[in-house]
Amino acid sequence: MSRLHQYVGGEHLRQDAPDKVTGEAIYVGDMAFPGMLWGRFKSSPIASGRILRIDTARARALPGVRAVLTGEELDHQLGLYMADKRILARGVVRYQGDPVAAVAAESEAMASEACNLIEVEYEPLPAVLDVEQAIEPGAPLVHPDLGSYRYMKGVFHPQPGSNVAHHQKIRRGDLEKGFAEAHRVFETSFWNPAVPHVPLETHVVIARALSGDRVDLWTAAQSPFTVRHLMAAGFGIPHNNIRVRIPYVGGGFGGKAGINLEPLATMLSKATGGRPVKIVATREEEFNTLPSRQGLKSRIKAGVTREGKLTALEVRYLWDAGAHADYGVNIGRAAATAGAGPYFVPAVKVDSLVVYTNKVFGTAFRGFGHLEVLWGIERNLDMMAHALGIDPFEMRQRNFLTPGEPTITGEIFTANHGRPDLCLKTVADAIGWSERPREDHPPKRPAPIGGKRRGYGIASLHKSPAMPVYTSCSCILKFNEDASVNLLISGVDYGQGTYTALAGIAAQELSIPVEKVHVTWDCDTATQPYDWQTVASRFAVMGGNAVIAAARDCLDQLKAVAAQVLHAPVEDLVCENEEVYVRKDPGARLHYRQLVIGYSFPNGSSIGGPVIGRGRYIAQGLTHLDPETGQGRNALNWTYGAHGVVIEVDTETGDIDVLKIASCMDAGKVLHLAAARTQVEGGVIQGLGSALIEGFKFDESGRLLNPSFVDFKIPTAKDLPREASQHFIETPQLDGPHGARGIGEHPMIAIPSAIGNAIYDALGIQIHELPLNAERVFLALKHAQPNDAARP
Amino acid sequence: MEHPIKLTVNGQAWEGSVLPDLTLLRFVRETLALTGTKEGCGIGECGACTVLLDGRPVNACMVLAVEADGCALRTIEGEAKAGKLSRLQQAFVAHHAVQCGFCTPGVIMSAQALLERAPAPSDEAIVEAVAGNLCRCTGYASILKAVRSCTPHGRTGGER
């Protein structure tokens, strides 16, 4: 093999960086078209109510207003997994922030003013805000018509007449026997609030509804082809009538998966006779109207032997889907399959219920439910370890899946699945776990208030991509005259660095300088090959495989022509450093330039033609899960990892200072070291946000109390851990490109768990709710004091 | 009623009239068509719209265009000279301090102002300078490394 042009695992520069540091990068918000109008929407001020009257007369009369729409005029029910969403509310509003009417006008100010002039009269209806109340018989129904909705059959199991959008069951082993064999049985509950994604770029779209039911979209979305597909399905028009273009995207984190404002902008454009309509969500709308992460209530019952081996696990997950569960149902399904942690558990019963409530709805968020389920599982594991007098590190090592053992969905863990044990050992070593202070850590009784205390915490994580069984991806590599290459692929790089990693793979495979591979940044469904969605940490893996296939297709084409020119059999040809030569006669060689658009013999006759490589990849061997037992193969691959933290808690304020975080992922193969490292750096801080400060707060009527950066903080440069290290294990994934697995989401998973575990080590108190902000930590410690008046 | 204003934009004179309620952010993005400056919140909390007024970083969404009268305005578009990236821009590229890129122009303007004000800032000063710029992707570590590499102590340090 050539030693030239080796890029996989390297640190070649990001292809997008020059555009982004100069301000040359164009995002949808920067685009404008002749005749473009501004769209805005008016949203519900209440969580649940009947729309009695919408008066748009004053808005329509305003100069500059070109269209006003309400839900009555829009008869579309949209969704990917569960079509439970209308473009604008019709008849009822289901959450505070639910769009009820929309306007297109000549300027943004006119559109805003027109929205203000729309009068809506509501009859408030009882709101259901708590998941446990929502599953009680007789609870108000968020979707009384659930039984009539279109959904992905065979995968999801809605329960009409209730608020349950999906019930994922996992059953394995003999639960009764498992609990009977347990030395101790522990029962505990945990809670995660809803958390918004907070991309710096809010949702933004420009739509043109053209004659003949055609639609042109420019949108800040994660998945061009899924936007197209959902538009086609929702509006009943051919796929080819819809063209979706995605330029640079200012962050997604799952919040820009599926479709969001595209249908509304399209209908506004249609109502104006096809003028382009741009909608830019305000930051408040980003919090209040556009989707967030779901909340979760977990109830865990676990049986363990005296030695700390798990014998049985019974878990109920109640997902707070909010008003729509299009994506939520899949989170409830996917996270349930990982809902026991990366451990072998002989007997398991998981009930994962995705529950409608009258709150802003949930969607995919980096980690897809895994941060939430592992908040409970990894905290509970520590609690059991401490109760049994076993070191939490040792407890995990005794329970990790080992080759030959089944996961809770019946997939057999193999040596090539990865090394959860080694990930945990790596982070434990990095934070000095075995040398940590043991005396009075964790304290036998809650620590007294006064001074600062240190704590050490560890937590494991795992996740597989959640995606349909048929998920596929394709790539086109087309050579230019100078033997440079354009790489066309339709996963979207909204910051992850995937394109840069894929360029490295292509360059290495083709044996050309990486600078000569240009990934086409603007995705366009009219010109680029199909991909499913840029979610689930599956793009680098599936895209990488597609790129390799496309590159090999190019090499075959180059060799086929070179063989004729060099009078050598194809199998004797070598492609190296932009040249094709004959292995036994290296003097006989051709530069790629002579071949990539066709070879001309000295007499002028020409053969070959432009070299265009085609590659594709489809998930293989995946099955639907059995509706009653959840058994099946839903994982393309599993990425295992762990975090270790050292914190210092100020017992007088509850404030947590993160002194050290070590993170380790079994990446299979690191495709691009800098991208991998910076993904972990960023994901860890996003995880710290979930751990320490972030969470939606609602009042008793369901109004969101913190929909702005004033009241909702995300980490800033001041919130960094004093020390952070990123480690990678490389246990090759047999079907991954160069052995790689996805690592995009994993860095933020289990960060809250590690911090929660460290708080116990520091203070001797167990906190079950997130975020672990100063107020919560201080009050928990205060109430645990023997003399506290409010002590429960 | 429009007000006449006169300022320099990335070193070039600009003269014209603006409405009194026009924010500097809209002036930059819409009137000047310099879209490198981004809007992330519109209420002065995220720093994505940071530009320099007389060398001082400001949230352009919180300043009126008329307040820039007589000032030297600098935006991200003026940082690369004749197609060559500034030292700080190069450092952001070299340190992989860019992910989605939406916060990047604002962060670079904040940090550039610091480096011009205090060529050898402490780590604390660097953190302070960019603490008003929210970034959801990078976790800030690579940004801080990039800025640090442009200081005298950063240049000699063993930073990769």
Side-chain angles (χ1 to χ4, degrees):
Chain A
M1 193 185 81
S2 172
R3 292 174 62 189
L4 292 164
H5 305 303
Q6 297 298 297
Y7 301 108
V8 171
E11 299 203 87
H12 51 279
L13 297 178
R14 289 183 67 108
Q15 297 210 337
D16 51 340
D19 276 357
K20 289 175 175 175
V21 299
T22 53
E24 289 169 345
I26 299 289
Y27 299 75
V28 177
D30 305 328
M31 302 171 82
F33 294 95
M36 192 175 83
L37 299 171
W38 290 83
R40 292 214 59 77
F41 55 84
K42 185 180 187 75
S43 52
S44 168
I46 60 172
S48 177
R50 197 179 317 285
I51 300 170
L52 298 178
R53 183 180 67 91
I54 304 185
D55 186 345
T56 59
R58 289 171 67 206
R60 287 178 199 278
L62 195 71
V65 170
R66 301 291 172 239
V68 181
L69 289 176
T70 69
E72 288 308 314
E73 292 132 73
L74 304 173
D75 193 25
H76 314 89
Q77 193 86 8
L78 303 171
L80 174 60
Y81 300 116
M82 166 62 71
D84 64 2
K85 197 166 178 305
R86 290 190 168 276
I87 300 173
L88 292 170
R90 191 185 218 188
V92 294
V93 288
R94 294 188 168 90
Y95 67 103
Q96 184 244 319
D98 204 351
V100 291
V103 171
E106 296 288 345
S107 76
E108 203 172 7
M110 285 175 197
S112 297
E113 195 186 339
C115 282
N116 290 338
L117 293 175
I118 295 172
E119 292 168 34
V120 189
E121 197 183 325
Y122 299 95
E123 175 199 345
L125 295 173
V128 56
L129 302 174
D130 177 80
V131 278
E132 286 181 286
Q133 286 168 9
I135 57 168
E136 290 291 320
L141 296 182
V142 180
H143 289 273
D145 300 329
L146 180 57
S148 69
Y149 293 173
R150 184 167 48 80
Y151 68 97
M152 194 183 271
K153 296 201 169 56
V155 181
F156 299 108
H157 314 292
Q159 298 181 351
S162 80
N163 284 315
V164 177
H166 175 55
H167 181 176
Q168 182 68 50
K169 296 178 189 174
I170 294 178
R171 307 284 186 267
R172 187 171 183 86
D174 186 338
L175 202 68
E176 212 172 304
K177 179 164 167 274
F179 281 119
E181 285 172 4
H183 163 62
R184 295 269 304 266
V185 174
F186 296 86
E187 285 190 71
T188 183
S189 299
F190 296 90
W191 178 75
N192 302 61
V195 171
H197 309 77
V198 198
L200 261 284
E201 176 204 45
T202 59
H203 283 73
V204 48
V205 59
I206 300 170
R208 279 179 81 201
L210 302 168
S211 59
D213 275 340
R214 290 173 301 130
V215 181
D216 263 6
L217 289 169
W218 292 262
T219 179
Q222 292 178 206
S223 313
F225 282 89
T226 290
V227 170
R228 188 180 77 165
H229 178 65
L230 294 179
M231 291 285 295
F235 291 114
I237 53 180
H239 286 69
N240 228 351
N241 281 19
I242 302 162
R243 184 171 183 184
V244 180
R245 272 164 277 194
I246 300 183
Y248 281 116
V249 177
F253 313 110
K256 292 173 182 167
I259 48 172
N260 290 285
L261 297 173
E262 293 87 353
L264 179 59
T266 301
M267 295 318 282
L268 282 171
S269 173
K270 192 171 184 181
T272 63
R275 289 179 67 176
V277 173
K278 182 182 200 174
I279 303 178
V280 186
T282 64
R283 181 55 62 183
E284 185 171 344
E285 287 163 352
E286 188 72 23
F287 282 117
N288 231 326
T289 293
L290 288 150
S292 66
R293 185 163 78 205
Q294 301 184 116
L296 176 66
K297 273 189 177 172
S298 313
R299 197 175 67 197
I300 300 171
K301 180 180 172 188
V304 281
T305 65
R306 200 181 297 275
E307 295 74 35
K309 285 280 281 180
L310 289 159
T311 62
L313 191 66
E314 186 177 0
V315 188
R316 189 188 69 176
Y317 292 122
L318 291 183
W319 298 92
D320 192 345
H324 304 287
D326 177 23
Y327 244 95
V329 292
N330 200 32
I331 297 165
R333 179 189 72 88
T337 68
Y343 308 109
F344 170 63
V345 192
V348 183
K349 178 173 186 253
V350 179
D351 288 285
S352 181
L353 282 79
V354 181
V355 181
Y356 288 120
T357 60
N358 291 112
K359 289 188 282 192
V360 61
F361 63 107
T363 191
F365 187 141
R366 194 177 195 172
F368 213 64
H370 290 60
L371 177 144
E372 299 92 298
V373 300
L374 291 180
W375 164 239
I377 292 294
E378 285 298 287
R379 291 280 294 112
N380 184 57
L381 206 79
D382 255 46
M383 292 178 185
M384 295 192 294
H386 290 299
L388 295 168
I390 300 172
D391 186 292
F393 174 84
E394 185 55 34
M395 177 93 172
R396 286 177 174 80
Q397 295 292 353
R398 289 178 191 174
N399 285 286
F400 279 134
L401 284 159
T402 57
E405 288 173 339
T407 67
I408 63 172
T409 57
E411 180 184 346
I412 301 301
F413 183 90
T414 71
N416 283 94
H417 270 64
R419 295 289 301 273
D421 56 332
L422 205 50
C423 288
L424 188 67
K425 183 171 186 324
T426 303
V427 302
D429 289 348
I431 63 166
W433 175 260
S434 58
E435 299 92 50
R436 73 191 187 281
R438 308 284 178 92
E439 198 183 323
D440 201 27
H441 283 278
K444 298 279 173 285
R445 275 187 281 277
I449 292 172
K452 294 181 177 180
R453 290 183 62 89
R454 280 195 183 191
Y456 286 66
I458 51 174
S460 290
L461 66 97
H462 67 163
K463 184 185 180 296
S464 67
M467 57 193 203
V469 288
Y470 50 76
T471 298
S472 64
C473 177
S474 53
C475 168
I476 292 172
L477 285 174
K478 49 176 199 159
F479 270 94
N480 302 308
E481 296 89 323
D482 61 354
S484 64
V485 169
N486 286 44
L487 194 167
L488 307 185
I489 199 159
S490 299
V492 173
D493 187 335
Y494 39 93
Q496 318 92 302
T498 317
Y499 283 0
T500 304
L502 294 180
I505 292 175
Q508 180 164 325
E509 205 66 41
L510 295 168
S511 196
I512 65 176
V514 71
E515 295 75 21
K516 293 187 88 165
V517 179
H518 176 79
V519 183
T520 301
W521 219 274
D522 297 25
C523 270
D524 183 339
T525 53
T527 55
Q528 268 156 293
Y530 176 84
D531 189 7
W532 172 64
Q533 287 221 71
T534 323
V535 296
S537 308
R538 44 71 65 189
F539 181 34
V541 173
M542 300 189 75
N545 280 332
V547 167
I548 290 171
R552 291 184 181 167
D553 187 20
C554 288
L555 296 179
D556 287 346
Q557 294 175 39
L558 290 167
K559 284 180 183 174
V561 177
Q564 297 178 59
V565 178
L566 300 173
H567 303 292
V570 164
E571 54 273 22
D572 284 359
L573 297 178
V574 179
C575 290
E576 187 175 57
N577 196 24
E578 304 186 83
E579 291 181 312
V580 189
Y581 64 86
V582 181
R583 197 185 311 274
K584 291 174 294 193
D585 180 15
R589 56 177 59 223
L590 293 165
H591 194 279
Y592 286 0
R593 267 196 312 273
Q594 294 168 273
L595 298 165
V596 290
I597 54 166
Y599 180 81
S600 288
F601 287 100
N603 73 355
S605 77
S606 302
I607 57 168
V611 173
I612 301 173
R614 183 194 67 156
R616 62 186 189 180
Y617 191 73
I618 188 164
Q620 284 157 28
L622 301 188
T623 68
H624 292 313
L625 300 177
D626 182 277
E628 290 308 314
T629 65
Q631 300 301 294
R633 170 85 198 274
N634 72 315
L636 180 71
N637 53 49
W638 287 93
T639 304
Y640 297 93
H643 299 288
V645 302
V646 184
I647 63 169
E648 192 167 73
V649 191
D650 185 332
T651 61
E652 286 161 54
T653 63
D655 210 31
I656 292 174
D657 194 359
V658 181
L659 304 181
K660 203 182 265 192
I661 291 191
S663 306
C664 183
M665 311 288 144
D666 192 337
K669 169 71 188 173
V670 172
L671 293 173
H672 187 281
L673 186 56
R677 192 180 65 239
T678 51
Q679 276 297 290
V680 177
E681 285 175 354
V684 163
I685 299 304
Q686 203 168 17
L688 273 182
S690 288
L692 298 176
I693 48 182
E694 297 178 33
F696 272 160
K697 292 178 187 168
F698 296 89
D699 72 9
E700 64 284 354
S701 70
R703 193 168 64 93
L704 181 59
L705 294 174
N706 50 349
S708 82
F709 279 144
V710 178
D711 299 310
F712 193 101
K713 300 294 185 193
I714 65 169
T716 73
K718 288 186 172 176
D719 300 310
L720 261 54
R722 304 282 179 88
E723 211 182 308
S725 60
Q726 304 81 33
H727 310 264
F728 298 101
I729 306 289
E730 295 186 324
T731 309
Q733 175 74 26
L734 294 180
D735 52 2
H738 296 268
R741 305 184 184 89
I743 56 158
E745 301 164 283
H746 306 74
M748 82 179 287
I749 302 171
I751 290 280
S753 322
I755 300 274
N757 291 341
I759 290 175
Y760 180 72
D761 187 52
L763 305 180
I765 56 168
Q766 298 286 14
I767 302 180
H768 299 241
E769 297 85 26
L770 288 175
L772 300 162
N773 56 27
E775 180 184 359
R776 192 186 304 282
V777 173
F778 174 74
L779 288 177
L781 183 62
K782 180 171 176 288
H783 294 158
Q785 301 298 310
N787 54 354
D788 184 72
R791 196 167 186 237
Chain B
M1 184 191 125
E2 297 204 331
H3 289 257
I5 61 170
K6 222 168 137 177
L7 65 160
T8 64
V9 179
N10 298 327
Q12 294 196 327
W14 191 91
E15 209 175 326
S17 293
V18 296
L19 287 167
D21 64 348
L22 183 72
T23 64
L24 183 60
L25 177 57
R26 298 194 80 119
F27 174 71
V28 167
R29 284 183 57 84
E30 294 168 20
T31 312
L32 302 177
L34 296 174
T35 56
T37 303
K38 304 301 181 199
E39 174 169 351
C41 70
I43 59 167
E45 291 283 336
C46 78
C49 65
T50 305
V51 296
L52 304 189
L53 268 189
D54 290 339
R56 198 168 46 88
V58 296
N59 286 320
C61 68
M62 300 302 287
V63 177
L64 293 173
V66 290
E67 293 179 82
D69 188 21
C71 292
L73 170 67
R74 279 169 62 189
T75 70
I76 189 69
E77 286 86 352
E79 293 305 290
K81 307 279 190 241
K84 189 173 182 298
L85 304 189
S86 73
R87 199 162 137 241
L88 184 59
Q89 287 173 318
Q90 289 176 37
F92 269 64
V93 176
H95 289 266
H96 301 266
V98 174
Q99 288 189 28
C100 86
F102 206 77
C103 74
T104 309
V107 181
I108 288 179
M109 297 315 286
S110 291
Q112 183 65 33
L114 170 75
L115 293 171
E116 290 174 16
R117 194 163 70 231
S122 63
D123 280 1
E124 292 72 27
I126 294 173
V127 169
E128 194 64 44
V130 299
N133 294 88
L134 296 181
C135 171
R136 193 58 153 173
C137 298
T138 65
Y140 306 102
S142 55
I143 291 175
L144 298 178
K145 281 180 202 166
V147 180
R148 204 176 292 136
S149 76
C150 292
T151 66
H153 43 274
R155 262 203 302 271
T156 54
E159 186 46 59
R160 65 172 169 184

